[in-house]
Amino acid sequence: MREDLIKRLRLFLFNEKHQTLVGKPASQREIIEAQQQLHVQFHSDYVAFIETFVGHMQV
């Protein structure tokens, strides 16, 4: 994922107004298991996003 896009996402997601959109980043293991369960291969940009920002929402 492009660094400029990551910076823009950080500014948006870590803004006080949007804190509920950020969850716990996904681990490599969680990503691999999800791909296996869904029988898909995630795009590298999506993997970068969920590793950085939100693999699953915190409750």
Side-chain angles (χ1 to χ4, degrees):
M1 183 179 288
R2 295 184 349 231
E3 188 61 35
D4 62 318
L5 180 56
I6 290 174
K7 287 179 185 178
R8 290 175 59 200
L9 285 166
R10 282 186 199 281
L11 287 173
F12 178 80
L13 292 171
F14 294 119
N15 179 303
E16 188 176 304
K17 295 178 187 176
H18 306 117
Q19 287 179 344
T20 58
L21 298 175
V22 179
K24 178 180 168 250
S27 68
Q28 277 292 319
R29 181 177 179 195
E30 290 171 317
I31 293 168
I32 291 167
E33 288 176 358
Q35 291 178 119
Q36 289 172 345
Q37 287 178 342
L38 297 170
H39 305 287
V40 298
Q41 182 68 39
F42 296 148
H43 188 279
S44 61
D45 285 346
Y46 180 64
V47 171
F49 178 80
I50 61 177
E51 285 179 323
T52 305
F53 298 107
V54 56
H56 55 276
M57 298 305 289
Q58 297 174 344
V59 182

